[in-house]
Amino acid sequence: MAKYIYFFGDGKAEGNAKMKDLLGGKGANLAEMTNLKIPVPPGFTISTQACLHFFKNKQKWPVGLKEELFRNLKKLEKSKGAKFGDKNNPLLVSVRSGAKVSMPGMMDTVLNLGLNSTTLKGLLESTGNPRFVYDSFRRFIQMFGDVVMDIPKADFEHLLSREKKRAGVKLDVDLKVEYLQHLIEKFKELYKKKKKTSFPENPYDQLGMACNAVFLSWNNDRAKFYRRQNNIPDNIGTAVNVQAMVYGNLGNDSATGVGFTRDPATGKKIFYGEYLANAQGEDVVAGIRTPLHFKDLKKQFPKAYQNLKQITGRLEKHYRDIQDFEFTIEKGKLYLLQTRAGKRTAAAAVQIAVDMVHEKLIGKKEALLRITPEQIDRLLHPVIDPKAKVQVIAKGLPASPGAATGKAVFTADEAAERGDKEKVILVRNETCPDDIHGMDAAQGILTARGGMTSHAAVVARGMGKCCVAGCESIKVDEKGNKFLVGKQIIKRNDFITLDGSTGRVITGMVPTVEPSMSGAFGKFLSWADGIRQLGIRANADIPRDAKTARDFGAEGIGLCRTEHMFFAKDRIPLVQKMILATTTEKRKEALNKLLPLQEKDFEGLFEVMGGYPVTIRLLDPPLHEFLPRREELMVEVALLKKGRKTAGKNLKEKEKLLSRIEELHEFNPMLGHRGCRLGITFPEVSEMQVRAIFQAACRVIKKGKKVQPEVMIPLVSLSGEFYQQKELVDRVAREIMKKEKVKLSYMVGTMIELPRATVIADKIARKAEFFSFGTNDLTQTTFGFSRDDAGKFIRVYVDKNILLSDPFQNLDTEGVGELIKIAAKKGRSVRPKLKVGICGEHGGDPSSIEFCNQIGLNYVSCSPYRVPIARLAAAQASLKRTGK
Ligand code: PEP
Ligand code: MG
């Protein structure tokens, strides 16, 4: 018969850390810790297979599971020397969910399961501590009611607050026995009212119901949302962990807490955590009382503290990763309840990886594979300008770094609703798993309560979102849609700014500055550079962007779209003159005015790139893009004609302009008079641009600096188009070098962005010295999907699994990729040293970069901000390819 339950206890376990698929992360690590002889309360794990069976079989348990559960309960009773449901010495257990990957959206824990009016008496006898016993029972009813039976937590909390008021106390721990007893009665009444049945007395029923609730939680909305957000498959199921209770609420010699072996926000190697004495379970993270720090733990529980430090240090070495652990101290004795790889900010992830290499815990290659390119992306987000004058109104915990500005909103639903249209900051007393959708949509999260390990902090860090938590000086009125700081009121829709790195809460909007590449981050990326084979260039059109790209480690410009220089405000009139010219002479006149401006741009680019190659593409888009919109002009002319405005000269000019626009109008501009077709029909445009490139290059050389210009001809589909344009480039280059008395080496190459070009790539390569795949256009023309319109239906294709992903984001390796392979092969067959790269948006996409590496391209070129991502993705692609 299939085995569904795995026991751990008394120094040995049936599972281990490698069995995460079957036991979930929590179960596998509990087994591993038991095998390592770490003090873990005994228990057992019901496997994920049982959960999958449950869903496949109309929510029925597999045959034999019940008996297996009884057998394991017996084992547990033996190990603890207590009996489940016993009136003298009862065994109580906790029930927790635990999937292979940690999922904050799943079922919360149920503690003290097994308590009823009979076992209560036994527990009173065995502990002699009525306050503890009644406190445990009221917690159990609340947790069971809320987590297993879906009775709103707030209903229980309302009764608890009322009881505290009645007792005249502020904190739960101050409630005396008689009040707890009264509260238990109230809780039971609430349960009966809501569920139309009494609170279950039979411990076996309690356990069965709790296990079912764990299984069911796998498919609750929160869990499904989390899985979608994090690409976790739906078919892996969750395990159930049943574990003997240890009690952190036995009195002031007991405690419960959570911690990290390193700081999860910065990665610094400091033993870090929070705890509460005389508390249980979620108290620390729920923000009920503000937790204390480990420095207090050291004073209050010196022995347990040393023990905890030593054990978790051992666990970190064993797992070779930062550990996030939960513990309980029961009458001075320490127990570990959980350990797992700690969720960390992107900055901490890099810091920890670098430190662990220095500590010889991991190698450089492993470090490189531990960080995802998406994490690098998060590191590149701006922070608050330190020079900015800001009005700090409050300070909370720096729970997740980064800066965020937005309008204050007070419910997760509102944040979710408005978050994709405008910038909002979610402000709450504390967050709970139900708020995940709002947190996801908000720019940042601010909470009044909770520590660094609170729900808000942990989830925000996982999302790479800025968060200030535990900001106790603000009084949040969620219903009234406002918060108060002293006398100041911040209302819904008021702008606030959060600094998640320092915990500052600021009024209004604040300027930000770009991140720097120094420290651990710089070192980490230098390791990536040592591994990767692909060159990384940037798509940049102006010196400022080129400088950003260089700072981020770009080794050249892979695409300068010169039309972006044409679009500059001060140049549009000149460009329009050039377009409207009716004779070549007139056109040249306008072009001559543009020449010095372009020359200056190129000079700037060459200087910034300090000798690295700069690929400059000749003009690409259709000319009418530089003219006023046809429809608008038609309306203007019609109005002028009606005489509503003073007509005359103005009308004549507008009519002339309109007629030229009509001439230039195209039904399919993307497939029209653009790319090299412009340079062929108006060679003087290409000539001006080439002149500007080479004059700029000569000028920079004369300053004693190096340049490497690469002139790129766009949208070629016929070899003749390229040959003709190359001849023009070479002729003008020769003329200028002669005139300037400078000799410089340069290349002329082409973009491959049309399917025809890919299949005649050998002919093009006879004269082309490099290829750069314009994968935006190549995707557009290979699929016949308009790049401006396809967004509407691609989503449907992805939903229906016709496409795995948007081919404009992730390169379609099957189709477009195949054409790239053909072109690279054909090109290199006639020119073995042909330099081949890509410069479409895919150049910054990790999966596309992996493909480019696989097929042996020389470089990828992407937007400046994606350069560090591409550096890491390229290194990871090399590591995956070589398997070393
Ligand atoms: C491309 O087509 O991939 C490309 C880089 O050019 P553009 O996006 O300017 O058309
Ligand atoms: Mg293109």
Side-chain angles (χ1 to χ4, degrees), residues 131 134-135 138-139 142 154-190:
R131 211 215 88 84
Y134 290 106
D135 182 50
R138 68 95 188 162
R139 286 169 184 274
Q142 170 166 352
D155 291 356
F156 288 103
E157 275 175 0
H158 173 69
L159 292 176
L160 176 62
S161 303
R162 239 177 43 187
E163 201 58 34
K164 282 195 282 189
K165 221 178 199 171
R166 203 171 77 87
V169 298
K170 270 205 168 137
L171 299 174
D172 311 1
V173 278
D174 297 327
L175 275 179
K176 297 239 165 56
V177 169
E178 63 200 271
Y179 291 98
L180 289 168
Q181 283 169 329
H182 183 251
L183 187 59
I184 287 167
E185 288 318 308
K186 291 281 156 210
F187 275 8
K188 281 186 172 172
E189 276 170 26
L190 171 68

Side-chain angles (χ1 to χ4, degrees), residues 617 620 674 753 777 787:
R617 177 177 76 182
D620 185 1
R674 62 175 280 224
E753 45 188 346
D777 273 311
R787 52 195 269 199

Side-chain angles (χ1 to χ4, degrees), residues 321-368:
D321 203 355
I322 170 185
Q323 295 299 297
D324 163 359
F325 51 86
E326 284 178 23
F327 64 97
T328 284
I329 301 169
E330 184 187 79
K331 289 186 168 292
K333 181 167 168 32
L334 173 77
Y335 292 92
L336 268 288
L337 301 182
Q338 160 153 311
T339 195
R340 60 182 169 186
K343 280 213 164 70
R344 62 209 88 169
T345 61
V350 172
Q351 185 70 50
I352 290 166
V354 169
D355 286 350
M356 286 196 168
V357 168
H358 290 147
E359 292 162 26
K360 299 202 170 21
L361 275 178
I362 58 173
K364 281 184 193 166
K365 289 176 186 171
E366 189 175 351
L368 286 171

